[in-house]
Amino acid sequence: MTAPFVESKDLPDQYEEVRKACLNDRSLGADPLCSVPDFCAKDQTLVQTYMVFSKTGRAVPLESPRCDPKPEGANNQPFPGVSLADFQKLPIAAATLGIQPRPHTLIGAETNVFAEAATQEIPATVLGTALTVRATPTDFTFNYGDGTAVGPQKFAGGYLPEDRWGEKTRTSHVYQATGDFPVSVTTFYNGEYRIGNGAWTPITGQAQIASPSQIVKVWRSQVKRYADNCIVNANGEGCPGAG
């Protein structure tokens, strides 16, 4: 059998190319684009690479199918996968924590707290097997340091321009007391791994990565009225010359 083709008479001159690696090793089942006969030995995996025209669906083989060794772990045993414990030990970069305003905010006012996290690909060796792990941030828990926390939640919040400070957001917090409070965020990452250029395989569970806490100082604002005229009485209460 050959790969399916969707022909088009108006194939554009400019198009987007997508390279798709097809793995068909009896256990994964056949990919719609992988319809070449499986002639590999039991310890090998059939690999076929196609170029797929995203606008028309036309698939063109880039090379002849080949047999690659199946991924193996130490002692020539089948690779068992990446455990959550192994995933958690990887150097996954913590999210960047943002606080507005900082380092000082006011009691009773909305303090904007947000996190910035990115998907990361990390080279690693697990059980003697070299592979790549992809960590994708999905959820966030914010701890405001005063006994209040929110999450896990999908929303990470975001930066506000200075003229919008004090605006309520889905991750902002109102402090009810003055003092110094350690604010932190924990980011939850979904994991996948692949060996070589193979398919991505999900890792069961989520890694939890805590960002370093930051101190926010909550102050109280006061407004006072003064009766003295500083021009007449430079030493009056509230005047620059007052002792």
Side-chain angles (χ1 to χ4, degrees), residues 81-184:
V82 177
S83 69
L84 178 58
D86 291 329
F87 183 33
Q88 184 75 47
K89 293 176 183 177
L90 294 178
I92 303 171
T96 300
L97 177 65
I99 304 173
Q100 296 174 300
R102 181 183 177 274
H104 308 110
T105 189
L106 292 176
I107 186 173
E110 295 285 350
T111 300
N112 185 40
V113 180
F114 61 96
E116 296 178 337
T119 297
Q120 306 157 52
E121 291 190 6
I122 305 167
T125 299
V126 178
L127 299 176
T129 299
L131 46 80
T132 302
V133 173
R134 181 165 63 190
T136 303
T138 61
D139 298 270
F140 306 86
T141 294
F142 294 92
N143 191 314
Y144 300 107
D146 61 350
T148 305
V150 60
Q153 63 177 25
K154 301 293 183 185
F155 193 70
Y159 172 86
L160 289 178
E162 188 172 353
D163 61 357
R164 293 176 57 191
W165 287 4
E167 179 180 308
K168 180 177 177 58
T169 70
R170 291 166 64 181
T171 56
S172 65
H173 182 62
V174 176
Y175 288 94
Q176 303 298 329
T178 59
D180 295 351
F181 300 96
V183 182
S184 62

